[in-house]
PDB file of all heavy atoms in Angstrom:
ATOM      1  N   ARG A  14      41.300 292.481 183.207  1.00 88.00           N
ATOM      2  CA  ARG A  14      41.174 293.449 184.302  1.00 88.00           C
ATOM      3  C   ARG A  14      42.039 294.677 184.027  1.00 88.00           C
ATOM      4  O   ARG A  14      42.356 295.441 184.926  1.00 88.00           O
ATOM      5  CB  ARG A  14      41.592 292.786 185.632  1.00 88.00           C
ATOM      6  CG  ARG A  14      40.606 291.726 186.103  1.00 88.00           C
ATOM      7  CD  ARG A  14      39.262 292.348 186.411  1.00 88.00           C
ATOM      8  NE  ARG A  14      38.271 291.351 186.818  1.00 88.00           N
ATOM      9  CZ  ARG A  14      37.396 290.791 186.002  1.00 88.00           C
ATOM     10  NH1 ARG A  14      37.404 291.116 184.709  1.00 88.00           N
ATOM     11  NH2 ARG A  14      36.519 289.918 186.430  1.00 88.00           N
ATOM     12  N   PHE A  70      50.295 280.641 184.497  1.00 95.00           N
ATOM     13  CA  PHE A  70      48.898 280.316 184.800  1.00 95.00           C
ATOM     14  C   PHE A  70      48.308 281.314 185.797  1.00 95.00           C
ATOM     15  O   PHE A  70      47.191 281.805 185.603  1.00 95.00           O
ATOM     16  CB  PHE A  70      48.792 278.896 185.359  1.00 95.00           C
ATOM     17  CG  PHE A  70      47.377 278.452 185.577  1.00 95.00           C
ATOM     18  CD1 PHE A  70      46.610 277.992 184.521  1.00 95.00           C
ATOM     19  CD2 PHE A  70      46.792 278.523 186.835  1.00 95.00           C
ATOM     20  CE1 PHE A  70      45.290 277.607 184.710  1.00 95.00           C
ATOM     21  CE2 PHE A  70      45.476 278.144 187.032  1.00 95.00           C
ATOM     22  CZ  PHE A  70      44.720 277.681 185.961  1.00 95.00           C
ATOM     23  N   VAL A  71      49.062 281.634 186.832  1.00 95.00           N
ATOM     24  CA  VAL A  71      48.572 282.565 187.856  1.00 95.00           C
ATOM     25  C   VAL A  71      48.379 283.962 187.270  1.00 95.00           C
ATOM     26  O   VAL A  71      47.367 284.632 187.527  1.00 95.00           O
ATOM     27  CB  VAL A  71      49.531 282.609 189.060  1.00 95.00           C
ATOM     28  CG1 VAL A  71      49.131 283.725 190.022  1.00 95.00           C
ATOM     29  CG2 VAL A  71      49.536 281.269 189.782  1.00 95.00           C
ATOM     30  N   LEU A  72      49.336 284.412 186.464  1.00 95.00           N
ATOM     31  CA  LEU A  72      49.222 285.726 185.846  1.00 95.00           C
ATOM     32  C   LEU A  72      48.023 285.781 184.910  1.00 95.00           C
ATOM     33  O   LEU A  72      47.317 286.797 184.834  1.00 95.00           O
ATOM     34  CB  LEU A  72      50.511 286.040 185.073  1.00 95.00           C
ATOM     35  CG  LEU A  72      50.623 287.443 184.465  1.00 95.00           C
ATOM     36  CD1 LEU A  72      50.557 288.511 185.555  1.00 95.00           C
ATOM     37  CD2 LEU A  72      51.928 287.575 183.681  1.00 95.00           C
ATOM     38  N   ASN A  73      47.775 284.679 184.211  1.00 95.00           N
ATOM     39  CA  ASN A  73      46.608 284.579 183.334  1.00 95.00           C
ATOM     40  C   ASN A  73      45.321 284.774 184.141  1.00 95.00           C
ATOM     41  O   ASN A  73      44.426 285.529 183.741  1.00 95.00           O
ATOM     42  CB  ASN A  73      46.609 283.213 182.644  1.00 95.00           C
ATOM     43  CG  ASN A  73      45.773 283.195 181.371  1.00 95.00           C
ATOM     44  OD1 ASN A  73      44.948 284.076 181.146  1.00 95.00           O
ATOM     45  ND2 ASN A  73      45.974 282.190 180.554  1.00 95.00           N
ATOM     46  N   VAL A  74      45.238 284.113 185.266  1.00 95.00           N
ATOM     47  CA  VAL A  74      44.061 284.226 186.131  1.00 95.00           C
ATOM     48  C   VAL A  74      43.907 285.656 186.654  1.00 95.00           C
ATOM     49  O   VAL A  74      42.810 286.222 186.656  1.00 95.00           O
ATOM     50  CB  VAL A  74      44.138 283.233 187.309  1.00 95.00           C
ATOM     51  CG1 VAL A  74      43.011 283.489 188.304  1.00 95.00           C
ATOM     52  CG2 VAL A  74      44.065 281.798 186.800  1.00 95.00           C
ATOM     53  N   ILE A  75      45.016 286.245 187.069  1.00 95.00           N
ATOM     54  CA  ILE A  75      44.969 287.604 187.618  1.00 95.00           C
ATOM     55  C   ILE A  75      44.526 288.607 186.563  1.00 95.00           C
ATOM     56  O   ILE A  75      43.640 289.443 186.803  1.00 95.00           O
ATOM     57  CB  ILE A  75      46.346 287.999 188.194  1.00 95.00           C
ATOM     58  CG1 ILE A  75      46.654 287.170 189.444  1.00 95.00           C
ATOM     59  CG2 ILE A  75      46.374 289.495 188.535  1.00 95.00           C
ATOM     60  CD1 ILE A  75      48.068 287.351 189.957  1.00 95.00           C
ATOM     61  N   LEU A  76      45.120 288.538 185.387  1.00 95.00           N
ATOM     62  CA  LEU A  76      44.833 289.534 184.347  1.00 95.00           C
ATOM     63  C   LEU A  76      43.439 289.377 183.744  1.00 95.00           C
ATOM     64  O   LEU A  76      42.877 290.338 183.218  1.00 95.00           O
ATOM     65  CB  LEU A  76      45.884 289.451 183.235  1.00 95.00           C
ATOM     66  CG  LEU A  76      47.281 289.946 183.601  1.00 95.00           C
ATOM     67  CD1 LEU A  76      48.241 289.753 182.439  1.00 95.00           C
ATOM     68  CD2 LEU A  76      47.248 291.425 184.010  1.00 95.00           C
ATOM     69  N   THR A  77      42.878 288.180 183.803  1.00 93.00           N
ATOM     70  CA  THR A  77      41.528 287.960 183.253  1.00 93.00           C
ATOM     71  C   THR A  77      40.464 287.872 184.337  1.00 93.00           C
ATOM     72  O   THR A  77      39.277 287.737 184.022  1.00 93.00           O
ATOM     73  CB  THR A  77      41.483 286.662 182.425  1.00 93.00           C
ATOM     74  OG1 THR A  77      41.767 285.536 183.276  1.00 93.00           O
ATOM     75  CG2 THR A  77      42.483 286.690 181.284  1.00 93.00           C
ATOM     76  N   GLY A  78      40.879 287.932 185.587  1.00 91.00           N
ATOM     77  CA  GLY A  78      39.921 287.782 186.670  1.00 91.00           C
ATOM     78  C   GLY A  78      39.351 286.376 186.763  1.00 91.00           C
ATOM     79  O   GLY A  78      38.284 286.170 187.339  1.00 91.00           O
ATOM     80  N   GLY A  79      40.062 285.408 186.185  1.00 90.00           N
ATOM     81  CA  GLY A  79      39.582 284.021 186.213  1.00 90.00           C
ATOM     82  C   GLY A  79      38.360 283.784 185.346  1.00 90.00           C
ATOM     83  O   GLY A  79      37.669 282.768 185.490  1.00 90.00           O
TER      84      GLY A  79
END
Side-chain angles (χ1 to χ4, degrees):
R14 291 296 178 264
F70 185 80
V71 172
L72 186 61
N73 201 343
V74 172
I75 292 172
L76 289 177
T77 63

